[in-house]
Amino acid sequence: MAYGAPAVVIDNGSYTTKAGFASDDLPTMVFSSAYSHDESTGKVIVGDEEMSLYPQYNVSTLLENGLVYNFDNIVHNWQYIYDNIDNHNPIESKEYPLVMTEQSWNTARNKIKTTEIVFEQLEVPLFSLVKNPVSQLYRCGKSTGLVIDIGAGVTSVTPILDGIIQNKCSYHSKYAGDFLNLHVEHYLESKVGSIDDLLPDSFRAQRASDSFKQYYMSTHILQEFKNLSINYQVSNYQIYNHKFIDVTDQRNYLENLFDPTLNKLEGVNLPEPSFDKPSSHGLTNLVFMSIKNLEASLLPKTDNSAGTTTASSQNRFAWFMEIFKQLLSNVLITGGTSLANGLSDHIISDLKALTQKYFPNYPFSYNVQQIRVNNSSSESADVWDRQFGSWLGACNLASMLNDNDENSSKIALDNWFVTKADYEELGEDIIIEKFK
């Protein structure tokens, strides 16, 4: 039997939190994942407009490396959603199923802590954790593909075969949108002398905390300038005192995603790239390591010391070739930073060059192809799908609860959701099993 109420879907990203009902076409709430807090009283403020009223408060983050680390205060983020999700009207969390997204490298400890909060504090009736790359690929109608997600805090490369994430061949690094912001901030500071000169007068006052200034700088000035400079190549940029600064000598910031050591930043020490530390590499090398390790795990070995192959290994080789062709013809490039002009073309070009150079015996380079949701040619649709792809994909799965097809709702309940009753009876065991 179909579940009556639509699920609430929450996607906590490093930069913004996206939330809404699974029945919505787009998230009804998109707000900063940071929060303000008054250390003297313990007061916590969530929401961009609300935070701007208290610039004297310190600003803190909730996620690191794409994962929630601040569980003491993440509940304020989730409660803010329930208080505002229905056109700024509150709803009762105990009356709606809840679906959240998670990174594929999320830890068992984090899954258990998250589930404990949503069942014991929010008292939701049903809960599910959906892996970002799977939900994004699912939304495209694919079960096999290479998901390249470039967000604010993390860039990740995830191969998925028949709906299963290949964890040993999945890699991520912090060379993402926030890393580009560091380069933008350093460049603008060299132009104006002090980064405070870019802030509005009200926030340059002594009463604004340093962490609030950095939050505002990141979410407004740096984000705006990065988008303008990458997508429109502006030559003059207007700052808050109505003066223009000449920015014709700016670099192509996107190159830092592919080679993080290309432009050194004063005061920022980056780890030397090492193949035993994938997170030390830029995007191109992450992709290379992913497909190279996938080849090593899937390519059949010769059956004896003479190097001959049997019919069985020949069949495995044919299967390997078919899997790789499917994977590389379904490259999904997503995440807010991926919207930068020319970035997708650069990735696909590099991927073709990699296959031609390092896999010369396989005709993979002819199959490399970027996919989009429903092959949409609409520019606005592509923007929404990249910014909100994980949230939208999770909505697709959550909507199965409300499907009139009894079989669909049963599949969703049996495979992706945990009930509050089951959690109370089975505890951590069912969480580890269901959300593995």
Side-chain angles (χ1 to χ4, degrees):
M1 182 177 179
Y3 202 88
V8 170
V9 180
I10 300 175
D11 176 25
N12 284 122
S14 301
Y15 179 56
T16 58
T17 291
K18 284 74 70 177
F21 293 111
S23 54
D24 295 330
D25 293 330
L26 290 171
T28 53
M29 298 180 68
V30 180
F31 60 96
S32 174
S33 292
Y35 67 94
S36 293
H37 59 106
D38 183 355
E39 294 181 350
S40 62
T41 65
K43 182 178 181 180
V44 172
I45 306 295
V46 179
D48 298 275
E49 292 183 9
E50 293 85 347
M51 290 169 66
S52 67
L53 299 175
Y54 301 93
Q56 72 274 22
Y57 287 179
N58 289 316
V59 176
S60 298
T61 59
L62 294 167
L63 287 85
E64 174 68 23
N65 198 31
L67 306 182
V68 175
Y69 76 93
N70 189 338
F71 281 99
D72 290 337
N73 288 296
I74 189 68
V75 69
H76 295 290
N77 177 284
W78 298 339
Q79 188 60 58
Y80 178 77
I81 292 168
Y82 283 105
D83 289 342
N84 294 276
I85 192 171
D86 186 14
N87 196 25
H88 298 293
N89 293 310
I91 63 171
E92 286 289 341
S93 56
K94 62 181 66 176
E95 295 178 1
Y96 295 84
L98 173 62
V99 176
M100 288 185 179
T101 62
E102 64 169 349
Q103 297 289 7
S104 58
W105 57 92
N106 198 15
T107 65
R109 176 185 172 278
N110 277 18
K111 296 174 195 281
I112 291 169
K113 187 62 179 177
T114 298
T115 308
E116 176 187 310
I117 292 173
V118 300
F119 278 132
E120 297 181 12
Q121 292 185 240
L122 298 178
E123 299 183 88
V124 303
L126 286 168
F127 178 59
S128 180
L129 275 172
V130 178
K131 290 180 173 55
N132 283 336
V134 172
S135 67
Q136 291 167 316
L137 197 61
Y138 176 86
R139 179 165 164 75
C140 296
K142 306 289 184 179
S143 60
T144 295
L146 184 67
V147 181
I148 301 173
D149 190 343
I150 312 164
V154 180
T155 288
S156 62
V157 179
T158 310
I160 300 174
L161 305 181
D162 294 327
I164 299 174
I165 291 176
Q166 306 302 298
N167 287 311
K168 292 183 178 179
C169 308
S170 301
Y171 300 105
H172 64 276
S173 80
K174 294 183 179 181
Y175 298 129
D178 288 344
F179 180 64
L180 297 186
N181 280 355
L182 288 177
H183 288 271
V184 172
E185 182 173 354
H186 182 266
Y187 173 75
L188 289 177
E189 190 170 15
S190 71
K191 290 291 182 179
V192 297
S194 170
I195 205 70
D196 275 7
D197 291 337
L198 297 170
L199 293 168
D201 290 339
S202 58
F203 295 148
R204 282 192 282 133
Q206 288 296 319
R207 68 189 188 94
S209 69
D210 289 341
S211 58
F212 180 87
K213 290 178 183 179
Q214 190 58 50
Y215 149 77
Y216 190 89
M217 182 72 64
S218 176
T219 56
H220 291 74
I221 289 89
L222 302 183
Q223 197 72 15
E224 175 192 74
F225 181 80
K226 185 172 63 178
N227 290 337
L228 285 172
S229 62
I230 291 174
N231 295 315
Y232 301 103
Q233 298 179 332
V234 294
S235 57
N236 288 287
Y237 178 66
Q238 186 176 17
I239 57 179
Y240 277 96
N241 59 10
H242 303 296
K243 292 182 179 179
F244 285 87
I245 56 176
D246 180 6
V247 293
T248 54
D249 60 342
Q250 63 185 296
R251 297 186 178 101
N252 181 355
Y253 299 109
L254 294 180
E255 293 301 324
N256 297 291
L257 291 177
F258 298 91
D259 183 359
T261 62
L262 183 64
N263 299 300
K264 301 286 187 180
L265 288 173
E266 185 178 348
V268 178
N269 295 318
L270 302 180
E272 286 297 320
S274 169
F275 276 99
D276 61 348
K277 294 181 180 179
S279 62
S280 65
H281 287 270
L283 183 51
T284 300
N285 280 351
L286 285 184
V287 173
F288 170 73
M289 287 186 286
S290 177
I291 58 178
K292 192 65 179 174
N293 282 355
L294 194 61
E295 178 201 34
S297 65
L298 296 180
L299 188 64
K301 306 297 188 293
T302 55
D303 289 340
N304 54 47
S305 58
T308 59
T309 58
T310 64
S312 174
S313 62
Q314 287 176 349
N315 288 337
R316 282 196 63 201
F317 186 78
W319 172 79
F320 161 77
M321 291 286 286
E322 182 57 33
I323 284 291
F324 253 61
K325 279 197 269 188
Q326 284 187 47
L327 185 83
L328 294 176
S329 61
N330 292 298
V331 179
L332 177 61
I333 301 173
T334 187
T337 303
S338 73
L339 288 165
N341 187 33
L343 182 55
S344 292
D345 291 339
H346 192 155
I347 294 171
I348 294 298
S349 177
D350 277 6
L351 191 47
K352 288 180 177 179
L354 283 172
T355 57
Q356 290 170 2
K357 182 176 181 179
Y358 295 103
F359 305 93
N361 297 324
Y362 317 138
F364 296 149
S365 59
Y366 304 107
N367 296 91
V368 175
Q369 185 175 344
Q370 182 184 353
I371 58 171
R372 292 183 172 86
V373 177
N374 301 320
N375 294 316
S376 173
S377 59
S378 167
E379 184 176 342
S380 60
D382 190 41
V383 169
W384 301 137
D385 285 320
R386 294 207 200 186
Q387 285 188 330
F388 308 134
S390 187
W391 184 88
L392 291 166
C395 283
N396 291 153
L397 293 171
S399 295
M400 291 179 68
L401 284 175
N402 308 110
D403 200 317
N404 290 325
D405 181 348
E406 195 169 309
N407 190 49
S408 293
S409 57
K410 186 176 187 306
I411 289 173
L413 281 169
D414 290 347
N415 292 282
W416 301 313
F417 283 85
V418 171
T419 67
K420 190 171 188 291
D422 284 343
Y423 168 74
E424 290 172 345
E425 178 183 354
L426 302 171
E428 296 180 3
D429 291 341
I430 193 171
I431 302 307
I432 299 302
E433 174 61 27
K434 193 66 72 84
F435 301 145
K436 61 185 177 183

